[in-house]
């Protein structure tokens, strides 16, 4: 582990961020919009950013023997670590729902989105949106958190609403496939989500580095 | 030989402008950086640490431009600023344990020496420290990695006279070991006791950058102290 990531985990992060990874278990909740688990994980990350700002974390980091843009790298590494841990938990629970719990009535009689690869793809899209809207927005100033987070909340709940609604439209029922039904399509949707996550994260990281170089701390 | 050089530094804010700031830091000497509040001392120091984006100008340390050599230069310099509180709810031990992993030259012996000298307790958190102890904590961080240049922004503000005296003695000892110190302050009596060179900034412009003796000779009147000269120059500048 590099020194910057260690610094993020030990000095900048709140315990709450790690505890909020537990919201990934919402993947198992029947009759609940399970994508909200992603929002709660990112809410945990937001709490760490808020606490780090009050601790003068950005200036402290910029004074360390690192290039200024490495401060951005450290933050992105930490956020990606939390997101990928959350995603890994959701993926394991999704596999459980697709296999041993595939025929459980409580999941079969569920009007809301089921846990399947499409759900995981949407989760990755939401994490990518967080990286673009919140992280990218934060590094425009390195202190303003409210506006980027509120924007992220609006967008993320609009996307969750759309994802929940889609499979109710005629012809889109396959989005809510149970077990390994429509597996090829489901995997393609997961791959599309992963691509969106990578593209959104990489683009926002590059832009955040550029913006941060221009900021006066 | 100059340990650091600042050339033609310009930075414009809506209500303030740093104008073509140029000076050099003589190796192994203590340079006092004086100027009233808002004169541009902190802006200059922030530019020297790449914390702000300047309009133009060059900054070099050890003959290397800051731009492109930021990491290696920061390994060799130390910075401390007044009473800023880093990670107020973490213990000093937690902060130090992480900070030292960044410095190849971290000196555990020096760290223990300054912890003892400054009366700091590893189990305390910055939020539990008085303003003066926060200054000492920041200084301890800057002094524990064998920095060759120390950039100190108001390091004695908030310290009691005894602690200030101790600190000035530390600076003199460091100087004897070849450390270069830039010491920004408005407490001119501290500079009278330890500075070799003086940089005087007023309204974003460098008015003098020379040895202390030369500064006293060129700007002072007989029997005038550094503080009296500083006050007179500021009054004259306002007229």
């Amino acid at each position: 582990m590099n020194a910057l990531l260690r610094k993020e985990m030990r000095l900048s992060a709140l315990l709450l961020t790690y505890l909020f990874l537990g919201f990934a278990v919402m993947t198992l909740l029947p009759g609940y919009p399970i994508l909200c688990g992603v929002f709660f994980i990112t809410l945990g990350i937001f709490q760490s950013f808020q606490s780090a700002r009050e601790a003068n974390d950005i200036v402290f980091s910029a004074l360390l023997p690192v290039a200024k843009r490495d401060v951005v790298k450290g933050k992105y590494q930490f956020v990606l670590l939390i997101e990928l841990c959350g995603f890994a938990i959701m993926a394991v629970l999704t596999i459980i729902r697709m296999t041993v719990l595939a025929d459980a009535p409580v999941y079969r009689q569920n009007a809301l989105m089921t846990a399947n690869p499409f759900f995981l793809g949407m989760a990755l899209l939401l994490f990518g949106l967080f990286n673009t809207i919140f992280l990218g927005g934060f590094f425009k100033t390195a202190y303003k958190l409210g506006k980027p987070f509120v924007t992220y909340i609006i967008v993320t709940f609009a996307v969750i609403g759309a994802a929940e609604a889609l499979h109710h439209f005629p012809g889109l029922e396959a989005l809510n496939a149970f077990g390994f039904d429509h597996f090829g399509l489901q995997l393609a949707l997961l791959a599309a989500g992963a691509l969106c996550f990578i593209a959104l994260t990489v683009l926002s990281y590059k832009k955040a580095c550029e913006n941060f170089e221009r900021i006066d701390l | 030989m100059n340990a650091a050089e600042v050339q033609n530094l310009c930075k414009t804010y809506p209500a303030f402008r740093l104008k073509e700031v140029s000076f050099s830091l003589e190796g192994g000497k203590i340079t006092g950086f004086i100027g009233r509040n808002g004169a541009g001392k902190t802006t200059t120091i922030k530019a020297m640490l790449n914390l702000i984006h300047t309009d133009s100008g060059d900054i070099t340390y050890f003959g290397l431009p800051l731009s492109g050599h930021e990491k290696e230069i920061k390994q060799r310099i130390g910075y401390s600023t007044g009473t800023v509180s880093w990670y107020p709810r973490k213990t000093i031990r937690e902060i130090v344990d992480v900070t030292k992993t960044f410095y190849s030259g971290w000196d555990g012996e020096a760290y223990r020496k300054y912890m003892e000298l400054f009366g700091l307790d590893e189990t305390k958190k910055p939020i539990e420290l008085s303003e003066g102890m926060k200054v000492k904590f920041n200084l301890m961080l800057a002094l524990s990695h064998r920095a060759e240049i120390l950039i100190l922004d108001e390091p004695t503000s908030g310290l009691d006279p005894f602690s200030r005296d101790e600190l000035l003695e530390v600076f003199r000892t460091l100087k004897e070991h070849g450390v270069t110190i830039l010491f920004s302050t408005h407490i001119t009596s501290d500079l009278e006791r330890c500075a070799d060179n003086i940089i005087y900034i007023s309204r974003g412009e460098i008015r003098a950058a020379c040895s202390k003796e030369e500064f006293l000779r060129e700007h002072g009147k007989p029997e005038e102290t550094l503080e009296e000269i500083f006050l007179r120059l500021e009054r004259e500048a306002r007229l």
Side-chain angles (χ1 to χ4, degrees):
Chain A
M1 190 191 302
N2 66 42
L4 270 168
L5 182 56
R6 194 182 301 116
K7 192 227 86 186
E8 289 300 321
M9 292 177 74
R10 292 185 58 188
L11 289 184
S12 315
L14 284 180
L15 176 63
L16 201 69
T17 303
Y18 303 110
L19 293 177
F20 270 34
L21 275 172
F23 280 107
V25 180
M26 290 173 85
T27 305
L28 288 178
L29 287 181
Y32 189 89
I34 52 178
L35 274 173
C36 286
V38 173
F39 170 72
F40 287 115
I41 291 168
T42 55
L43 179 62
I45 297 171
F46 169 74
Q47 298 285 348
S48 276
F49 270 71
Q50 205 168 26
S51 152
R53 183 181 64 176
E54 310 316 322
N56 296 306
D57 168 71
I58 292 285
V59 176
F60 182 85
S61 305
L63 289 169
L64 290 168
V66 296
K68 194 173 174 187
R69 61 171 47 215
D70 286 346
V71 176
V72 180
K73 190 174 164 186
K75 288 283 175 211
Y76 269 76
Q77 282 178 337
F78 173 70
V79 170
L80 285 176
L81 178 75
I82 297 295
E83 288 175 344
L84 294 178
C85 285
F87 179 78
I89 298 168
M90 287 192 275
V92 169
L93 298 176
T94 298
I95 290 166
I96 292 171
R97 277 187 62 168
M98 288 170 64
T99 52
V100 292
L101 298 174
D103 296 319
V106 74
Y107 291 130
R108 283 279 172 180
Q109 295 150 15
N110 179 12
L112 296 173
M113 176 184 254
T114 195
N116 58 20
F118 171 63
F119 154 70
L120 292 175
M122 289 305 294
L124 285 172
L125 173 66
L126 291 178
F127 282 133
L129 287 171
F130 177 77
N131 298 345
T132 298
I133 300 169
F134 176 71
L135 272 185
F138 171 72
F139 278 110
K140 284 180 185 166
T141 60
Y143 69 92
K144 283 186 182 170
L145 294 160
K147 190 178 166 189
F149 195 66
V150 169
T151 309
Y152 162 71
I153 291 172
I154 294 167
V155 172
T156 205
F157 278 100
V159 173
I160 290 172
E164 286 288 352
L166 276 176
H167 68 93
H168 293 291
F169 286 95
L172 295 177
E173 295 85 355
L175 295 179
N176 210 36
F178 287 89
F180 288 89
D181 297 348
H182 306 285
F183 198 54
L185 172 70
Q186 286 284 327
L187 281 184
L189 292 168
L190 171 57
L195 282 175
C196 287
F197 172 73
I198 293 167
L200 289 169
T201 303
V202 169
L203 290 174
S204 96
Y205 172 67
K206 285 185 175 169
K207 189 71 185 158
C209 286
E210 280 172 28
N211 286 335
F212 190 63
E213 288 281 4
R214 287 197 288 266
I215 288 171
D216 292 338
L217 296 172
Chain B
M1 188 196 161
N2 291 330
E5 286 186 20
V6 173
Q7 287 175 332
N8 306 320
L9 201 64
C10 294
K11 171 73 184 173
T12 306
Y13 290 107
F16 174 76
R17 196 154 69 91
L18 208 57
K19 301 163 204 157
E20 302 277 336
V21 165
S22 298
F23 59 84
S24 55
L25 298 183
E26 196 180 346
K29 302 283 184 190
I30 299 176
T31 300
F33 194 17
I34 56 171
R36 61 183 303 178
N37 296 337
K41 298 191 298 294
T42 299
T43 304
T44 304
I45 285 175
K46 282 185 168 184
M48 291 177 74
L49 296 162
N50 197 24
L51 291 181
I52 60 170
H53 187 75
T54 54
D55 304 332
S56 60
D58 296 307
I59 296 159
T60 56
Y61 291 88
F62 319 107
L64 302 169
L66 180 60
S67 162
H69 294 85
E70 194 176 351
K71 284 187 198 177
E72 56 184 291
I73 286 170
K74 283 180 176 173
Q75 284 282 354
R76 297 170 68 185
I77 65 174
Y79 167 71
S80 172
T81 179
T83 57
V84 171
S85 189
W86 313 115
Y87 307 105
R89 297 188 186 278
K90 299 284 180 185
T91 63
I92 289 177
R93 183 181 295 145
E94 285 174 302
I95 297 170
V96 168
D97 278 350
V98 171
T99 305
K100 68 183 182 186
T101 62
F102 286 86
Y103 291 100
S104 54
W106 185 266
D107 185 343
E109 202 178 308
Y111 163 67
R112 283 186 293 278
K113 185 179 95 179
Y114 291 118
M115 285 291 286
E116 195 179 335
L117 178 70
F118 295 154
L120 288 162
D121 176 355
E122 277 191 326
T123 61
K124 287 248 179 147
K125 299 170 181 175
I127 199 167
E128 297 165 347
L129 301 177
S130 67
E131 295 303 289
M133 292 304 276
K134 278 182 197 164
V135 173
K136 290 180 178 180
F137 167 56
N138 289 339
L139 274 167
M140 178 276 294
L141 283 178
L143 293 170
S144 299
H145 66 270
R146 295 191 197 127
E148 294 162 60
I149 299 178
L150 284 173
I151 298 172
L152 309 172
D153 194 4
E154 310 277 1
T156 52
S157 302
L159 294 185
D160 61 79
F162 187 73
S163 297
R164 270 170 53 202
D165 190 57
E166 267 182 347
L167 199 60
L168 296 181
E169 190 51 45
V170 169
F171 294 164
R172 281 190 286 260
T173 308
L174 288 166
K175 186 182 94 167
E176 281 167 21
H177 287 89
V179 176
T180 305
I181 300 176
L182 175 66
F183 182 170
S184 146
T185 186
H186 52 260
I187 307 173
T188 45
S189 58
D190 287 346
L191 298 181
E192 241 156 347
R193 291 160 67 191
C194 73
D196 302 294
N197 300 318
I198 297 288
I199 299 167
Y200 168 46
I201 188 168
S202 178
R203 298 176 187 205
E205 280 183 86
I206 299 291
R207 305 284 182 184
C210 54
S211 71
K212 186 169 72 185
E213 289 70 30
E214 199 181 329
F215 184 81
L216 292 169
R217 200 171 51 241
E218 289 199 0
H219 299 278
K221 293 176 180 172
E223 306 294 311
E224 254 189 338
T225 62
L226 197 55
E227 181 160 328
E228 287 163 342
I229 298 170
F230 173 50
L231 287 172
R232 182 169 49 75
L233 291 175
E234 281 297 321
R235 282 193 200 105
E236 285 170 5
R238 269 198 298 180
L239 294 175

